[in-house]
């Protein structure tokens, strides 16, 4: 239950990160303890009622968690929560919430931009401009092209809407079949992925990282893709076996890959992906638009008010499945 008086919020950020903008409005409503290290977080958890995590790429929370004496809610300012699903938290009664909804539309815009980049051969156009060279070419239409979205959750739905608005044919992969869906032409269960891959022009990974998705895209799946297909990963890096992807691209088993997330981040400067002409590399930034940090704070504060009133928290993660269960289609 929410604590009386002024609750304590332990905030974990990265070493180079300040308190997110917007959290200053909690002054007088809660006491915020800003931490960056295991020792600092361990001390803060001894008195914290809430844990707010913005640094989700480390094991700091797992190492400090035994000191959590009365934490009754953990919130992650990210869509992915895999690094927080360590056994002690996963098996506890402490609810875990995430930033579902904040990044959905920006990521969908990013994916559509990548599709247009490939279809209109914009990377070649920019390269020719740098060379001061005129070279007329035909480019592709995206209308009628087939898109498979692996992970038909809230982010996947916005991708489907954006691509569908451009006349693309979009189907999705989810944990189970859906009889009908307003944004996807069809949604199929996970076991149909291998069957559906060969017919797709674009394959977009928007799934969370779970035991079922880790390493899902490996050499076997790449061999199933059409040689003209492009892969886009805005989900989680470990869903793709990077070495297998490099081999598949070099062998011409698919036409290109646009990657925003990687097994190891940041991507090492000497990694072969940097030098492949048919690869677009971005820096885990697909959903990071101007104002995103403040939007995350506002989302947390809205949920904090619910917590204080004893109301159900929004965006509760199913800790067994590793993600927030999707709402009914159309919402």
């Amino acid at each position: 239950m929410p604590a009386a008086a002024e609750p304590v919020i332990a905030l974990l950020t990265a070493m180079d990160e300040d308190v997110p903008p917007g959290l200053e409005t909690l002054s007088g409503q809660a006491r915020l303890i800003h931490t960056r290290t295991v020792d600092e977080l361990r001390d803060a958890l001894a008195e914290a009622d809430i844990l707010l995590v913005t640094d989700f790429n480390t094991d700091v929370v797992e190492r400090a968690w035994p000191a959590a004496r009365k934490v009754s809610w953990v919130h992650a300012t990210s869509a992915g929560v895999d690094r927080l699903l360590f056994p002690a938290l996963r098996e506890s009664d402490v609810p875990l919430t995430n930033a579902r909804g904040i990044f959905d539309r920006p990521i969908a815009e990013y994916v559509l931009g990548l599709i247009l980049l490939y279809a209109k051969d914009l990377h070649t156009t920019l390269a020719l401009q740098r060379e001061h060279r005129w070279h007329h070419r035909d480019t592709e239409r995206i209308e009628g092209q087939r898109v498979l979205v692996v992970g038909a959750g809230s982010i996947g739905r916005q991708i489907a809407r954006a691509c569908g608005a451009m006349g693309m044919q979009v189907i999705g992969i989810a944990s189970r079949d859906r009889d009908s869906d307003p944004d996807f032409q069809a949604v199929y269960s996970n076991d149909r992925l291998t069957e559906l891959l060969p017919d797709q022009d674009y394959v977009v990974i928007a799934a969370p990282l779970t035991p079922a998705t880790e390493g899902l895209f490996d050499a076997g799946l790449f061999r199933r893709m059409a040689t003209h297909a492009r892969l886009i990963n805005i989900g989680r890096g470990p869903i793709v076996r990077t070495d297998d992807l490099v081999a598949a691209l070099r062998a011409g088993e698919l036409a290109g890959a646009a990657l925003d997330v990687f097994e190891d981040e940041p991507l090492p400067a000497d990694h072969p992906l940097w030098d492949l002409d048919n690869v677009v590399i971005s820096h885990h930034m697909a959903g990071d638009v101007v104002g995103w940090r403040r939007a995350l704070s506002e989302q947390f504060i809205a949920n904090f008010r619910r917590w204080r009133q004893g109301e159900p928290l929004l965006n509760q993660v199913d800790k067994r499945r590793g993600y927030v269960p999707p709402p009914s289609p159309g919402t």
Side-chain angles (χ1 to χ4, degrees), residues 131-149:
E131 297 172 6
H132 297 198
R133 186 157 64 94
W134 184 280
H135 177 53
H136 179 272
R137 308 166 326 280
D138 295 337
T139 61
E140 304 168 14
R141 296 186 64 177
I142 66 171
E143 183 179 16
Q145 294 281 291
R146 294 158 297 188
V147 182
L148 174 63
V149 180

Side-chain angles (χ1 to χ4, degrees), residues 102-103 106-107 109 285-293:
I102 296 294
F103 302 107
I107 289 177
E109 294 173 358
M285 54 182 280
D288 296 351
V289 295
V290 174
W292 66 276
R293 290 179 176 86

Side-chain angles (χ1 to χ4, degrees), residues 31 39 41 58 63 69 85 88 100 107 121 128 132 155 164 192 196 199 295 300 311 321 324 330:
R31 180 159 63 93
D39 289 340
L41 182 60
T58 70
R63 293 164 61 194
R69 298 171 183 171
L85 290 175
R100 184 182 190 274
I107 289 177
D121 199 25
L128 291 169
H132 297 198
I155 293 174
R192 300 286 300 278
L196 295 166
D199 297 325
F300 169 74
E311 299 175 3
R321 298 163 71 181
V324 178

Side-chain angles (χ1 to χ4, degrees), residues 40 44 66 107 162 181 271 299 323:
E40 291 174 351
I107 289 177
D181 191 287
H271 199 280
Q299 183 188 54
Y323 54 89

Side-chain angles (χ1 to χ4, degrees), residues 8-14 17-20 23 31-37 40-41 44-45 48 50-55 75 77 297 300:
V8 175
I9 302 172
L11 167 66
L12 174 68
T13 72
E17 183 182 1
D18 293 326
V19 174
L23 290 183
R31 180 159 63 93
L32 191 70
I33 304 176
H34 183 196
T35 71
R36 294 185 174 97
T37 68
E40 291 174 351
L41 182 60
L45 286 178
I50 298 167
L51 172 59
L52 173 59
V53 182
T54 69
D55 182 14
H75 178 75
T77 61
S297 294
F300 169 74

